[in-house]
Each structure stands twice: as C-alpha cells, then as structure tokens.
C-alpha cells in the first residue's frame, strides 16, 4: 500500500472508533464531570501509548525538543473532548455527529491558513457530496425533520470543540519534526493530561471514582483505548500522509457508524431511504481516494 492509501485506511478505522464515543459518551455524560473523565481517558491512553512507544520505536531524546508543541496539540484535542462531553449533556449522539460533519470544511480552511494546502475542485466537490450524504443520514431522509432542526446549546458548545479538532489536524503536520506517530502521540497525550489535571483538579477530586457505575468504567476504558489512544495515532499517522481536508473528510462516515452503534445499543433501525445518504458518503470517499496529478513545485506543500 502507498503511504496515502495507508492514511486513508487509518481514517476509516478512526471513523468507526470515534462513532462509538458519541453513543457511549451520551450515556455517561451526566454521570461524571467532563474534565474528570477526559483527564482519566488521557492518563490511561498516555500509559498505553507510552508502553507501545517503548516497545516499538522507543522514546528518543530528540522527541523532547520544543515541548511547547505537545502543549499546543494536547490543549487542542483536550478542548475537543471536554466540549464534546459538555455538548452531549443536552444533545443526542446523532445531533452531535451532525455538528461534527462541519469539521472537514473548517479543517480545509485551517489547512490553507497554516500550511497553504489548497482544496482542489474535486476535493471541494467530494466534501459537498459527503456533507449532503451525512445530512441525509443524520436526519434519516426526513425533510420535515431537517426543516425543524434547531441548534441547541449542546450543539453550539460542541461546535467550538469541533473547531479545535479542525485546527489540530494541520497543526500535527506543522509541528511534527520527524517523530514517529506513536512518539508524537505520547507527547501530546502527556501534555493534554497535565493541562486537564491542572484545569480540572477540583472536578477530579470531587469524583467518587470507587463508586462510579460500571457503564462509566466501560465507557472510560473504551474512550481511553479506542477513541483516544488509537484515534490519536490514527489521525497523526494520516495527517502526515494526507492533506487536512482529506483527513477530516472521513468524519462524513461517522453519522452512518453512529446509527449502527445506536442500533447495537437498542435504538430503532433506519429506513431504506437512509441508505441513500450512506451511498453518497461512499461516493465522496471514492472521489477523495482518486489522486489528482499536480505540477511539481519545490515550495508547494503536499496536496495529496
């Protein structure tokens, strides 16, 4: 597989794992403080990734250069996760995934500002098709439901978290100095954990960890291992091989995965018409997978 193909595969896996965080997060959002559970997931994820780094690439001293880079990235992703939980206190998983589909457009803008990455006409068309398919899935092919949609407080809160996520993606490429994804992820998680511990210390101390419901611990472990540790590595791995807009375009798959998660958790299955939206997101991904030949320019950033 080419580096670009591996980047795409990483993001498909990412979309499946992250979708689960919406459904599980909505279950526990009101049972534990957002700062506390996010600090816990960063701590567990940092331990897992640290062990993985030591077992594979090691932790070279060179990776510790300019530690402020990890503080920037850790702060951005911590902001996303915390605001996601605050949003899920009042918004349902499907609604929050609807907000999340705005991330690719914001990421494309951030990619242009930070890296001068240009969104080609084909990529712009693919983003549009993907957004249409995602909205079709989100509102379950119900035009009346779409017209009645009102942005609630939870969605607005999560929007700002999505903005932090969108900025994070191009920042990975901008700040990485050749460190392996697992090493860079470890530094980011440690920095994020420190920030969350300082900011959320009162919530962490107030949490009765010993008497939390089992579902909270199950969700915390899932969020730590799959939706944090794995997704960190996958996004950073993909961000070093794909432009920001393409990395975040995979968020268009998340509403479809969320619906599958909701079905698995006992929610009603979507109608056949909803599958039209799934097909549209698949078409968008095919368009994104199709490489475009660009004239070589020594000073131009990689656009594919």
């Amino acid at each position: 597989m080419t580096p670009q193909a591996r980047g795409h595969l990483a993001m498909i896996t990412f979309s499946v794992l992250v979708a689960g965080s919406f459904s599980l997060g909505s279950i526990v959002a009101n049972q534990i403080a957002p700062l506390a559970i996010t600090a816990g997931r960063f701590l567990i994820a940092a331990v897992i990734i640290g062990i993985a780094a030591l077992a594979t690439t090691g932790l070279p001293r060179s990776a510790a250069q300019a530690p402020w880079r990890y503080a920037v990235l850790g702060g951005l992703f911590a902001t996303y996760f915390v605001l996601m939980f605050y949003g899920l206190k009042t918004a349902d998983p499907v609604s929050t995934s609807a907000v999340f589909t705005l991330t690719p457009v914001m990421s494309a803008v951030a990619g242009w500002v930070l890296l001068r990455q240009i969104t080609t006409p084909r990529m712009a068309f693919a983003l549009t098709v993907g957004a249409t398919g995602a909205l079709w899935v989100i509102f379950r092919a119900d035009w009346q439901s779409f017209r009645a949609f009102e942005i609630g407080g939870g969605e607005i809160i999560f929007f700002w978290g999505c903005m932090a996520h969108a900025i994070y993606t191009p920042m990975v490429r901008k700040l990485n100095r050749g460190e392996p994804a697992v090493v860079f992820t470890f530094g980011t998680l440690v920095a994020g954990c420190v920030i969350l511990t300082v900011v959320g210390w009162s919530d962490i101390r107030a949490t009765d960890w010993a008497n939390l419901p089992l579902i909270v611990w199950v969700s915390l472990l899932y969020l730590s291992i799959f939706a944090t540790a794995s997704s960190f590595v996958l996004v950073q791995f993909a961000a070093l091989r794909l432009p920001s807009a393409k990395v975040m375009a995979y968020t268009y798959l998340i509403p479809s995965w969320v619906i599958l998660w909701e079905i698995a958790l006992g929610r009603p299955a979507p109608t056949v018409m909803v599958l039209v939206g799934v097909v549209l997101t698949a078409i968008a991904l095919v368009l994104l997978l199709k490489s475009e030949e660009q004239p070589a320019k020594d000073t131009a950033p990689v656009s594919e």
Side-chain angles (χ1 to χ4, degrees):
M1 295 177 67
T2 65
Q4 290 81 6
R6 290 196 293 270
H8 287 294
L9 179 60
M11 289 311 299
I12 291 175
T13 306
F14 164 85
S15 67
V16 177
L17 298 179
V18 169
S21 68
F22 284 94
S23 295
L24 291 175
S26 67
I27 296 175
V28 302
N30 291 301
Q31 300 185 50
I32 183 172
L35 283 166
I37 192 171
T38 306
R41 70 190 287 186
F42 268 57
L43 175 60
I44 295 172
V47 172
I48 294 171
I49 293 300
I51 294 173
L54 289 173
T56 54
T57 63
L59 295 172
R61 288 186 177 182
S62 59
Q65 295 178 355
W68 62 266
R69 298 177 297 154
Y70 303 112
V72 171
L73 294 174
L76 286 170
F77 234 30
T79 298
Y80 163 74
F81 284 127
V82 170
L83 294 183
M84 175 184 178
F85 270 95
Y86 274 112
L88 285 170
K89 282 180 172 291
T90 55
D92 62 68
V94 176
S95 181
T96 50
S97 68
V99 178
F100 199 48
T101 59
L102 297 174
T103 308
V105 177
M106 293 188 287
S107 187
V109 174
W112 181 83
V113 172
L114 296 171
L115 302 173
R116 289 299 184 266
Q117 290 178 338
I118 298 174
T119 301
T120 63
R122 180 181 285 114
M123 288 174 62
F125 178 67
L127 292 175
T128 302
V129 172
T132 302
L135 289 173
W136 187 277
V137 172
I138 290 164
F139 294 104
R140 297 175 182 259
D142 185 350
W143 174 245
Q144 294 301 320
S145 177
F146 175 75
R147 291 184 60 187
F149 180 73
E150 295 181 0
I151 301 297
E155 288 84 356
I156 293 174
I157 291 172
F158 185 55
F159 171 82
W160 293 108
C162 291
M163 185 172 292
H165 194 298
I167 296 172
Y168 168 84
T169 306
M171 287 297 288
V172 169
R173 177 174 289 196
K174 187 175 182 66
L175 298 181
N176 183 273
R177 297 183 179 178
E179 297 90 352
V182 67
V183 174
F184 209 53
T185 298
F186 175 70
T188 302
L189 285 168
V190 170
C193 184
V194 171
I195 293 171
L196 287 164
T197 300
V198 172
V199 176
W201 182 243
S202 60
D203 286 341
I204 295 172
R205 289 189 61 187
T207 300
D208 186 4
W209 296 96
N211 294 308
L212 287 174
L214 178 61
I215 185 60
V216 175
W217 283 108
V218 170
S219 299
L220 177 59
L221 290 176
Y222 176 88
L223 294 170
S224 302
I225 298 170
F226 299 106
T228 305
S230 298
S231 67
F232 258 96
V233 173
L234 291 169
V235 169
Q236 294 197 7
F237 179 88
L240 296 174
R241 291 159 177 80
L242 301 170
S244 303
K246 285 192 175 184
V247 171
M248 297 317 301
Y250 278 92
T251 59
Y252 290 137
L253 278 181
I254 291 177
S256 298
W257 295 126
V258 168
I259 287 178
L260 292 179
W261 272 90
E262 292 292 283
I263 292 173
L265 293 172
R267 273 72 169 187
T271 64
V272 175
M273 285 298 295
V274 171
L275 296 179
V276 174
V278 177
V279 171
L280 287 175
T281 55
I283 292 174
L285 291 176
V286 170
L287 290 171
L288 290 170
L289 286 168
K290 183 176 176 60
S291 61
E292 301 180 69
E293 295 183 0
Q294 298 284 343
K297 296 180 180 179
D298 293 338
T299 58
V302 176
S303 61
E304 288 298 325

